[in-house]
Amino acid sequence: MEKILVEERLNQLQAEGTTEQDIEVEMKDLGMKRATEYGWPNTYVFTKAMGEMLVETSKENMSVVVIRPTIVTSTYREPFPGWVEGLRTIDSVVVAYGKGKLTSFMADLDAVVDVIPADMVVNAIIVAMVAHANQPSDDHIIYHVGSSVRNPITYRDFREYNFKYFTEKPWINKDGKPVKVDRVTVFSNLASFRRYMFIRYLLPLKGLEVANTILCQYFQGIYLDFNRKITIVMRLVDLYLPYLFFNGIFDDMNTEKLLLTAKQEGAEMNLFYFDPIIIDWEDYFMNIHIPGIFKYALK
C-alpha cells in the first residue's frame, strides 16, 4: 500500500512537469509524513520496520534472525581501526564542530548515545548465523547490538572527547590556519535553542542581508558563509532531533546470551568479538574514530 501511494504521487508530479529538484523535496516530505503518521521519526527507521515485517511474512520455513544495530561507527579493529565509508550519523556533527561550523546544539547531556563499531556488528551477524543455522524457523530472534546497557556513553562524554581532540589536533582550514574550537553550547529544549539562534544568528544575518543589498553585494562572501553555517546547524538539528532527548536503552539480553553461548562452545572470540565492554570510549574516539573520519571519509 505504501509503495502504491508513493508511486501514484511520483507519477502525478512527473505528469505535472515538476522539476527533479522539487520532486525530490516533495517525495522526502511525503516520506516524513507517512513515517510520522505511524509513529516513526523518519523514513529511515520506518522503512527498516517495514523491512522486518516483510521478512517475517515471507520467510516461510527459513530460519531467520534479525540484527538491530544502534548507531554504527567506524571499525574498532578490522579490517583496520577507524575505517568508515562516508560520513555516517554522528560523524556529520564531528566534522561540522571540528571545522568551526557548529558552536551550539541541543541535547540532554546525560542521555546515552548508543554507538557500536561496524566490525562488532559484522561479528555479531556471523556468530548469530552460525548459532541459528539449523534451528527451527517458527520464531525469529531479535538481537540488539549496541552499547547502552553494557558500556554506555553519554552526550556529555561525546562532547568532551570532541573538544579534547580538536583542541589537541585542530582542523587546518583552506588558508592553512588552525581552527580554534570551544565547547559546544548545549540547550536542553528546542524553544531555548531557537531563541538563541534567532538572537545570535538570524537577526544579524537579516541585517547583513539588508546592508549587502544597499552596498551592491559588498558583503556577499560574508553573508553566504554566515548563511551556510546557520543552514548546517539547523539541518543537523532537524536530522537528529528525535534522538537528542531519547532516554531509553536497548535490551540486549539476547545478544548477551549469544555471547555467552559462543564462548562456552569455544568460538574464537578474539576474532569474532562483539562485546562492547572491551571498548575504552575515550581511547576509541580520540585515537580511532575521529582520526578515521578525516583519514577515510574525508580523504
PDB file of all heavy atoms in Angstrom, residues 204-236:
ATOM      1  N   PRO A 204      21.291  39.091  13.085  1.00  0.00           N
ATOM      2  CA  PRO A 204      22.463  39.655  12.404  1.00  0.00           C
ATOM      3  C   PRO A 204      22.505  39.302  10.916  1.00  0.00           C
ATOM      4  O   PRO A 204      22.926  40.119  10.090  1.00  0.00           O
ATOM      5  CB  PRO A 204      23.642  39.019  13.142  1.00  0.00           C
ATOM      6  CG  PRO A 204      23.104  38.692  14.487  1.00  0.00           C
ATOM      7  CD  PRO A 204      21.680  38.309  14.263  1.00  0.00           C
ATOM      8  N   LEU A 205      22.037  38.083  10.578  1.00  0.00           N
ATOM      9  CA  LEU A 205      22.032  37.685   9.167  1.00  0.00           C
ATOM     10  C   LEU A 205      21.092  38.570   8.362  1.00  0.00           C
ATOM     11  O   LEU A 205      21.411  38.972   7.229  1.00  0.00           O
ATOM     12  CB  LEU A 205      21.605  36.210   9.042  1.00  0.00           C
ATOM     13  CG  LEU A 205      21.592  35.649   7.610  1.00  0.00           C
ATOM     14  CD1 LEU A 205      23.018  35.561   7.061  1.00  0.00           C
ATOM     15  CD2 LEU A 205      20.933  34.273   7.574  1.00  0.00           C
ATOM     16  N   LYS A 206      19.930  38.888   8.957  1.00  0.00           N
ATOM     17  CA  LYS A 206      18.969  39.751   8.271  1.00  0.00           C
ATOM     18  C   LYS A 206      19.564  41.145   8.067  1.00  0.00           C
ATOM     19  O   LYS A 206      19.427  41.751   6.981  1.00  0.00           O
ATOM     20  CB  LYS A 206      17.678  39.853   9.092  1.00  0.00           C
ATOM     21  CG  LYS A 206      16.506  40.458   8.322  1.00  0.00           C
ATOM     22  CD  LYS A 206      16.093  39.554   7.154  1.00  0.00           C
ATOM     23  CE  LYS A 206      14.944  40.170   6.374  1.00  0.00           C
ATOM     24  NZ  LYS A 206      14.609  39.366   5.184  1.00  0.00           N
ATOM     25  N   GLY A 207      20.249  41.647   9.103  1.00  0.00           N
ATOM     26  CA  GLY A 207      20.894  42.949   8.973  1.00  0.00           C
ATOM     27  C   GLY A 207      21.974  42.949   7.913  1.00  0.00           C
ATOM     28  O   GLY A 207      22.110  43.901   7.133  1.00  0.00           O
ATOM     29  N   LEU A 208      22.720  41.870   7.851  1.00  0.00           N
ATOM     30  CA  LEU A 208      23.780  41.735   6.848  1.00  0.00           C
ATOM     31  C   LEU A 208      23.188  41.667   5.442  1.00  0.00           C
ATOM     32  O   LEU A 208      23.744  42.223   4.490  1.00  0.00           O
ATOM     33  CB  LEU A 208      24.590  40.468   7.147  1.00  0.00           C
ATOM     34  CG  LEU A 208      25.900  40.264   6.383  1.00  0.00           C
ATOM     35  CD1 LEU A 208      26.866  41.413   6.634  1.00  0.00           C
ATOM     36  CD2 LEU A 208      26.537  38.940   6.794  1.00  0.00           C
ATOM     37  N   GLU A 209      22.047  41.009   5.336  1.00  0.00           N
ATOM     38  CA  GLU A 209      21.371  40.904   4.036  1.00  0.00           C
ATOM     39  C   GLU A 209      20.952  42.293   3.534  1.00  0.00           C
ATOM     40  O   GLU A 209      21.127  42.621   2.353  1.00  0.00           O
ATOM     41  CB  GLU A 209      20.147  39.993   4.160  1.00  0.00           C
ATOM     42  CG  GLU A 209      19.411  39.780   2.850  1.00  0.00           C
ATOM     43  CD  GLU A 209      18.175  38.916   3.017  1.00  0.00           C
ATOM     44  OE1 GLU A 209      17.766  38.645   4.169  1.00  0.00           O
ATOM     45  OE2 GLU A 209      17.603  38.512   1.990  1.00  0.00           O
ATOM     46  N   VAL A 210      20.398  43.102   4.437  1.00  0.00           N
ATOM     47  CA  VAL A 210      19.980  44.465   4.079  1.00  0.00           C
ATOM     48  C   VAL A 210      21.190  45.306   3.661  1.00  0.00           C
ATOM     49  O   VAL A 210      21.185  45.992   2.636  1.00  0.00           O
ATOM     50  CB  VAL A 210      19.236  45.131   5.255  1.00  0.00           C
ATOM     51  CG1 VAL A 210      18.968  46.602   4.949  1.00  0.00           C
ATOM     52  CG2 VAL A 210      17.924  44.399   5.539  1.00  0.00           C
ATOM     53  N   ALA A 211      22.254  45.252   4.495  1.00  0.00           N
ATOM     54  CA  ALA A 211      23.475  46.015   4.193  1.00  0.00           C
ATOM     55  C   ALA A 211      24.082  45.571   2.875  1.00  0.00           C
ATOM     56  O   ALA A 211      24.568  46.397   2.083  1.00  0.00           O
ATOM     57  CB  ALA A 211      24.480  45.843   5.326  1.00  0.00           C
ATOM     58  N   ASN A 212      24.028  44.289   2.630  1.00  0.00           N
ATOM     59  CA  ASN A 212      24.588  43.743   1.394  1.00  0.00           C
ATOM     60  C   ASN A 212      23.832  44.256   0.171  1.00  0.00           C
ATOM     61  O   ASN A 212      24.421  44.567  -0.865  1.00  0.00           O
ATOM     62  CB  ASN A 212      24.522  42.207   1.455  1.00  0.00           C
ATOM     63  CG  ASN A 212      25.359  41.551   0.379  1.00  0.00           C
ATOM     64  OD1 ASN A 212      26.453  42.012   0.070  1.00  0.00           O
ATOM     65  ND2 ASN A 212      24.845  40.484  -0.199  1.00  0.00           N
ATOM     66  N   THR A 213      22.513  44.385   0.311  1.00  0.00           N
ATOM     67  CA  THR A 213      21.681  44.897  -0.792  1.00  0.00           C
ATOM     68  C   THR A 213      21.968  46.378  -1.041  1.00  0.00           C
ATOM     69  O   THR A 213      22.129  46.809  -2.186  1.00  0.00           O
ATOM     70  CB  THR A 213      20.185  44.700  -0.460  1.00  0.00           C
ATOM     71  OG1 THR A 213      19.941  43.319  -0.199  1.00  0.00           O
ATOM     72  CG2 THR A 213      19.315  45.162  -1.618  1.00  0.00           C
ATOM     73  N   ILE A 214      22.056  47.153   0.045  1.00  0.00           N
ATOM     74  CA  ILE A 214      22.300  48.604  -0.078  1.00  0.00           C
ATOM     75  C   ILE A 214      23.679  48.879  -0.692  1.00  0.00           C
ATOM     76  O   ILE A 214      23.837  49.775  -1.527  1.00  0.00           O
ATOM     77  CB  ILE A 214      22.187  49.273   1.307  1.00  0.00           C
ATOM     78  CG1 ILE A 214      20.748  49.168   1.825  1.00  0.00           C
ATOM     79  CG2 ILE A 214      22.629  50.730   1.243  1.00  0.00           C
ATOM     80  CD1 ILE A 214      20.579  49.610   3.258  1.00  0.00           C
ATOM     81  N   LEU A 215      24.673  48.069  -0.276  1.00  0.00           N
ATOM     82  CA  LEU A 215      26.058  48.321  -0.707  1.00  0.00           C
ATOM     83  C   LEU A 215      26.473  47.461  -1.904  1.00  0.00           C
ATOM     84  O   LEU A 215      27.641  47.122  -2.060  1.00  0.00           O
ATOM     85  CB  LEU A 215      27.004  48.080   0.464  1.00  0.00           C
ATOM     86  CG  LEU A 215      26.798  49.014   1.666  1.00  0.00           C
ATOM     87  CD1 LEU A 215      27.666  48.586   2.829  1.00  0.00           C
ATOM     88  CD2 LEU A 215      27.108  50.459   1.266  1.00  0.00           C
ATOM     89  N   CYS A 216      25.469  47.127  -2.728  1.00  0.00           N
ATOM     90  CA  CYS A 216      25.747  46.433  -4.002  1.00  0.00           C
ATOM     91  C   CYS A 216      26.552  45.141  -3.810  1.00  0.00           C
ATOM     92  O   CYS A 216      27.597  44.942  -4.457  1.00  0.00           O
ATOM     93  CB  CYS A 216      26.474  47.369  -4.969  1.00  0.00           C
ATOM     94  SG  CYS A 216      25.569  48.892  -5.306  1.00  0.00           S
ATOM     95  N   GLN A 217      26.080  44.290  -2.919  1.00  0.00           N
ATOM     96  CA  GLN A 217      26.659  42.960  -2.688  1.00  0.00           C
ATOM     97  C   GLN A 217      28.081  42.998  -2.127  1.00  0.00           C
ATOM     98  O   GLN A 217      28.858  42.056  -2.284  1.00  0.00           O
ATOM     99  CB  GLN A 217      26.659  42.136  -4.002  1.00  0.00           C
ATOM    100  CG  GLN A 217      25.337  42.105  -4.744  1.00  0.00           C
ATOM    101  CD  GLN A 217      24.210  41.521  -3.902  1.00  0.00           C
ATOM    102  OE1 GLN A 217      24.366  40.444  -3.339  1.00  0.00           O
ATOM    103  NE2 GLN A 217      23.092  42.230  -3.797  1.00  0.00           N
ATOM    104  N   TYR A 218      28.422  44.080  -1.430  1.00  0.00           N
ATOM    105  CA  TYR A 218      29.779  44.230  -0.885  1.00  0.00           C
ATOM    106  C   TYR A 218      30.090  43.129   0.151  1.00  0.00           C
ATOM    107  O   TYR A 218      31.225  42.662   0.264  1.00  0.00           O
ATOM    108  CB  TYR A 218      29.922  45.606  -0.229  1.00  0.00           C
ATOM    109  CG  TYR A 218      31.288  45.891   0.325  1.00  0.00           C
ATOM    110  CD1 TYR A 218      32.337  46.264  -0.523  1.00  0.00           C
ATOM    111  CD2 TYR A 218      31.534  45.777   1.695  1.00  0.00           C
ATOM    112  CE1 TYR A 218      33.604  46.511  -0.010  1.00  0.00           C
ATOM    113  CE2 TYR A 218      32.800  46.028   2.218  1.00  0.00           C
ATOM    114  CZ  TYR A 218      33.830  46.395   1.358  1.00  0.00           C
ATOM    115  OH  TYR A 218      35.085  46.639   1.870  1.00  0.00           O
ATOM    116  N   PHE A 219      29.055  42.726   0.905  1.00  0.00           N
ATOM    117  CA  PHE A 219      29.248  41.708   1.939  1.00  0.00           C
ATOM    118  C   PHE A 219      28.790  40.314   1.482  1.00  0.00           C
ATOM    119  O   PHE A 219      28.500  39.459   2.308  1.00  0.00           O
ATOM    120  CB  PHE A 219      28.471  42.096   3.210  1.00  0.00           C
ATOM    121  CG  PHE A 219      28.949  43.349   3.857  1.00  0.00           C
ATOM    122  CD1 PHE A 219      28.162  44.501   3.844  1.00  0.00           C
ATOM    123  CD2 PHE A 219      30.180  43.394   4.488  1.00  0.00           C
ATOM    124  CE1 PHE A 219      28.607  45.663   4.443  1.00  0.00           C
ATOM    125  CE2 PHE A 219      30.626  44.552   5.098  1.00  0.00           C
ATOM    126  CZ  PHE A 219      29.845  45.697   5.074  1.00  0.00           C
ATOM    127  N   GLN A 220      28.729  40.097   0.186  1.00  0.00           N
ATOM    128  CA  GLN A 220      28.169  38.855  -0.338  1.00  0.00           C
ATOM    129  C   GLN A 220      28.899  37.616   0.190  1.00  0.00           C
ATOM    130  O   GLN A 220      28.274  36.639   0.605  1.00  0.00           O
ATOM    131  CB  GLN A 220      28.218  38.864  -1.879  1.00  0.00           C
ATOM    132  CG  GLN A 220      27.606  37.635  -2.539  1.00  0.00           C
ATOM    133  CD  GLN A 220      26.083  37.584  -2.397  1.00  0.00           C
ATOM    134  OE1 GLN A 220      25.470  38.464  -1.793  1.00  0.00           O
ATOM    135  NE2 GLN A 220      25.479  36.554  -2.945  1.00  0.00           N
ATOM    136  N   GLY A 221      30.226  37.645   0.197  1.00  0.00           N
ATOM    137  CA  GLY A 221      31.002  36.492   0.662  1.00  0.00           C
ATOM    138  C   GLY A 221      30.740  36.181   2.117  1.00  0.00           C
ATOM    139  O   GLY A 221      30.526  35.014   2.497  1.00  0.00           O
ATOM    140  N   ILE A 222      30.739  37.215   2.951  1.00  0.00           N
ATOM    141  CA  ILE A 222      30.486  37.042   4.391  1.00  0.00           C
ATOM    142  C   ILE A 222      29.063  36.544   4.616  1.00  0.00           C
ATOM    143  O   ILE A 222      28.821  35.641   5.421  1.00  0.00           O
ATOM    144  CB  ILE A 222      30.699  38.376   5.139  1.00  0.00           C
ATOM    145  CG1 ILE A 222      32.139  38.858   4.970  1.00  0.00           C
ATOM    146  CG2 ILE A 222      30.342  38.241   6.613  1.00  0.00           C
ATOM    147  CD1 ILE A 222      32.389  40.241   5.526  1.00  0.00           C
ATOM    148  N   TYR A 223      28.120  37.126   3.868  1.00  0.00           N
ATOM    149  CA  TYR A 223      26.709  36.738   4.003  1.00  0.00           C
ATOM    150  C   TYR A 223      26.510  35.258   3.669  1.00  0.00           C
ATOM    151  O   TYR A 223      25.854  34.520   4.414  1.00  0.00           O
ATOM    152  CB  TYR A 223      25.838  37.607   3.090  1.00  0.00           C
ATOM    153  CG  TYR A 223      24.405  37.138   3.013  1.00  0.00           C
ATOM    154  CD1 TYR A 223      23.494  37.430   4.031  1.00  0.00           C
ATOM    155  CD2 TYR A 223      23.956  36.377   1.922  1.00  0.00           C
ATOM    156  CE1 TYR A 223      22.190  36.982   3.978  1.00  0.00           C
ATOM    157  CE2 TYR A 223      22.652  35.923   1.862  1.00  0.00           C
ATOM    158  CZ  TYR A 223      21.767  36.229   2.891  1.00  0.00           C
ATOM    159  OH  TYR A 223      20.472  35.776   2.832  1.00  0.00           O
ATOM    160  N   LEU A 224      27.074  34.815   2.563  1.00  0.00           N
ATOM    161  CA  LEU A 224      26.907  33.421   2.130  1.00  0.00           C
ATOM    162  C   LEU A 224      27.532  32.451   3.131  1.00  0.00           C
ATOM    163  O   LEU A 224      26.966  31.398   3.433  1.00  0.00           O
ATOM    164  CB  LEU A 224      27.516  33.216   0.740  1.00  0.00           C
ATOM    165  CG  LEU A 224      26.774  33.896  -0.418  1.00  0.00           C
ATOM    166  CD1 LEU A 224      27.547  33.720  -1.714  1.00  0.00           C
ATOM    167  CD2 LEU A 224      25.356  33.344  -0.563  1.00  0.00           C
ATOM    168  N   ASP A 225      28.721  32.799   3.645  1.00  0.00           N
ATOM    169  CA  ASP A 225      29.395  31.937   4.620  1.00  0.00           C
ATOM    170  C   ASP A 225      28.582  31.848   5.908  1.00  0.00           C
ATOM    171  O   ASP A 225      28.400  30.756   6.467  1.00  0.00           O
ATOM    172  CB  ASP A 225      30.789  32.497   4.914  1.00  0.00           C
ATOM    173  CG  ASP A 225      31.569  31.606   5.874  1.00  0.00           C
ATOM    174  OD1 ASP A 225      31.777  30.427   5.536  1.00  0.00           O
ATOM    175  OD2 ASP A 225      31.962  32.083   6.953  1.00  0.00           O
ATOM    176  N   PHE A 226      28.070  32.972   6.370  1.00  0.00           N
ATOM    177  CA  PHE A 226      27.254  33.035   7.583  1.00  0.00           C
ATOM    178  C   PHE A 226      25.976  32.214   7.410  1.00  0.00           C
ATOM    179  O   PHE A 226      25.590  31.427   8.278  1.00  0.00           O
ATOM    180  CB  PHE A 226      26.926  34.506   7.875  1.00  0.00           C
ATOM    181  CG  PHE A 226      26.572  34.775   9.309  1.00  0.00           C
ATOM    182  CD1 PHE A 226      27.251  34.171  10.352  1.00  0.00           C
ATOM    183  CD2 PHE A 226      25.542  35.669   9.625  1.00  0.00           C
ATOM    184  CE1 PHE A 226      26.931  34.440  11.679  1.00  0.00           C
ATOM    185  CE2 PHE A 226      25.219  35.943  10.943  1.00  0.00           C
ATOM    186  CZ  PHE A 226      25.911  35.328  11.968  1.00  0.00           C
ATOM    187  N   ASN A 227      25.338  32.395   6.277  1.00  0.00           N
ATOM    188  CA  ASN A 227      24.097  31.680   5.979  1.00  0.00           C
ATOM    189  C   ASN A 227      24.334  30.175   5.894  1.00  0.00           C
ATOM    190  O   ASN A 227      23.511  29.372   6.355  1.00  0.00           O
ATOM    191  CB  ASN A 227      23.504  32.198   4.664  1.00  0.00           C
ATOM    192  CG  ASN A 227      22.116  31.648   4.412  1.00  0.00           C
ATOM    193  OD1 ASN A 227      21.244  31.689   5.278  1.00  0.00           O
ATOM    194  ND2 ASN A 227      21.907  31.106   3.220  1.00  0.00           N
ATOM    195  N   ARG A 228      25.479  29.796   5.327  1.00  0.00           N
ATOM    196  CA  ARG A 228      25.818  28.377   5.187  1.00  0.00           C
ATOM    197  C   ARG A 228      25.983  27.726   6.557  1.00  0.00           C
ATOM    198  O   ARG A 228      25.516  26.613   6.786  1.00  0.00           O
ATOM    199  CB  ARG A 228      27.095  28.233   4.361  1.00  0.00           C
ATOM    200  CG  ARG A 228      27.399  26.804   3.901  1.00  0.00           C
ATOM    201  CD  ARG A 228      28.678  26.733   3.080  1.00  0.00           C
ATOM    202  NE  ARG A 228      28.596  27.575   1.894  1.00  0.00           N
ATOM    203  CZ  ARG A 228      29.331  28.656   1.682  1.00  0.00           C
ATOM    204  NH1 ARG A 228      30.211  29.041   2.587  1.00  0.00           N
ATOM    205  NH2 ARG A 228      29.198  29.361   0.574  1.00  0.00           N
ATOM    206  N   LYS A 229      26.647  28.427   7.476  1.00  0.00           N
ATOM    207  CA  LYS A 229      26.851  27.888   8.818  1.00  0.00           C
ATOM    208  C   LYS A 229      25.526  27.677   9.548  1.00  0.00           C
ATOM    209  O   LYS A 229      25.316  26.655  10.202  1.00  0.00           O
ATOM    210  CB  LYS A 229      27.743  28.829   9.626  1.00  0.00           C
ATOM    211  CG  LYS A 229      29.203  28.815   9.199  1.00  0.00           C
ATOM    212  CD  LYS A 229      30.037  29.755  10.045  1.00  0.00           C
ATOM    213  CE  LYS A 229      31.508  29.729   9.621  1.00  0.00           C
ATOM    214  NZ  LYS A 229      32.333  30.647  10.420  1.00  0.00           N
ATOM    215  N   ILE A 230      24.626  28.652   9.421  1.00  0.00           N
ATOM    216  CA  ILE A 230      23.311  28.535  10.063  1.00  0.00           C
ATOM    217  C   ILE A 230      22.528  27.363   9.467  1.00  0.00           C
ATOM    218  O   ILE A 230      21.900  26.579  10.179  1.00  0.00           O
ATOM    219  CB  ILE A 230      22.509  29.844   9.900  1.00  0.00           C
ATOM    220  CG1 ILE A 230      23.194  30.970  10.676  1.00  0.00           C
ATOM    221  CG2 ILE A 230      21.073  29.676  10.385  1.00  0.00           C
ATOM    222  CD1 ILE A 230      22.623  32.341  10.407  1.00  0.00           C
ATOM    223  N   THR A 231      22.582  27.222   8.147  1.00  0.00           N
ATOM    224  CA  THR A 231      21.873  26.134   7.460  1.00  0.00           C
ATOM    225  C   THR A 231      22.378  24.782   7.931  1.00  0.00           C
ATOM    226  O   THR A 231      21.586  23.856   8.159  1.00  0.00           O
ATOM    227  CB  THR A 231      22.052  26.263   5.936  1.00  0.00           C
ATOM    228  OG1 THR A 231      21.560  27.540   5.517  1.00  0.00           O
ATOM    229  CG2 THR A 231      21.296  25.164   5.209  1.00  0.00           C
ATOM    230  N   ILE A 232      23.705  24.648   8.097  1.00  0.00           N
ATOM    231  CA  ILE A 232      24.292  23.382   8.551  1.00  0.00           C
ATOM    232  C   ILE A 232      23.773  23.019   9.937  1.00  0.00           C
ATOM    233  O   ILE A 232      23.353  21.886  10.192  1.00  0.00           O
ATOM    234  CB  ILE A 232      25.838  23.471   8.554  1.00  0.00           C
ATOM    235  CG1 ILE A 232      26.382  23.473   7.122  1.00  0.00           C
ATOM    236  CG2 ILE A 232      26.449  22.304   9.338  1.00  0.00           C
ATOM    237  CD1 ILE A 232      27.867  23.767   7.024  1.00  0.00           C
ATOM    238  N   VAL A 233      23.784  23.989  10.854  1.00  0.00           N
ATOM    239  CA  VAL A 233      23.329  23.733  12.225  1.00  0.00           C
ATOM    240  C   VAL A 233      21.861  23.313  12.245  1.00  0.00           C
ATOM    241  O   VAL A 233      21.492  22.317  12.881  1.00  0.00           O
ATOM    242  CB  VAL A 233      23.531  24.982  13.112  1.00  0.00           C
ATOM    243  CG1 VAL A 233      22.901  24.775  14.483  1.00  0.00           C
ATOM    244  CG2 VAL A 233      25.010  25.284  13.279  1.00  0.00           C
ATOM    245  N   MET A 234      21.009  24.041  11.536  1.00  0.00           N
ATOM    246  CA  MET A 234      19.572  23.745  11.543  1.00  0.00           C
ATOM    247  C   MET A 234      19.282  22.400  10.881  1.00  0.00           C
ATOM    248  O   MET A 234      18.389  21.666  11.310  1.00  0.00           O
ATOM    249  CB  MET A 234      18.793  24.869  10.848  1.00  0.00           C
ATOM    250  CG  MET A 234      18.925  26.238  11.523  1.00  0.00           C
ATOM    251  SD  MET A 234      18.611  26.211  13.314  1.00  0.00           S
ATOM    252  CE  MET A 234      16.872  25.788  13.352  1.00  0.00           C
ATOM    253  N   ARG A 235      20.043  22.077   9.846  1.00  0.00           N
ATOM    254  CA  ARG A 235      19.849  20.769   9.180  1.00  0.00           C
ATOM    255  C   ARG A 235      20.214  19.629  10.119  1.00  0.00           C
ATOM    256  O   ARG A 235      19.517  18.619  10.204  1.00  0.00           O
ATOM    257  CB  ARG A 235      20.697  20.701   7.913  1.00  0.00           C
ATOM    258  CG  ARG A 235      20.516  19.402   7.121  1.00  0.00           C
ATOM    259  CD  ARG A 235      21.327  19.412   5.841  1.00  0.00           C
ATOM    260  NE  ARG A 235      22.750  19.520   6.100  1.00  0.00           N
ATOM    261  CZ  ARG A 235      23.525  18.472   6.429  1.00  0.00           C
ATOM    262  NH1 ARG A 235      22.995  17.282   6.574  1.00  0.00           N
ATOM    263  NH2 ARG A 235      24.820  18.630   6.618  1.00  0.00           N
ATOM    264  N   LEU A 236      21.316  19.792  10.860  1.00  0.00           N
ATOM    265  CA  LEU A 236      21.734  18.759  11.811  1.00  0.00           C
ATOM    266  C   LEU A 236      20.715  18.598  12.937  1.00  0.00           C
ATOM    267  O   LEU A 236      20.428  17.483  13.366  1.00  0.00           O
ATOM    268  CB  LEU A 236      23.108  19.098  12.387  1.00  0.00           C
ATOM    269  CG  LEU A 236      24.300  18.952  11.431  1.00  0.00           C
ATOM    270  CD1 LEU A 236      25.570  19.503  12.065  1.00  0.00           C
ATOM    271  CD2 LEU A 236      24.503  17.502  11.023  1.00  0.00           C
TER     272      LEU A 236
END
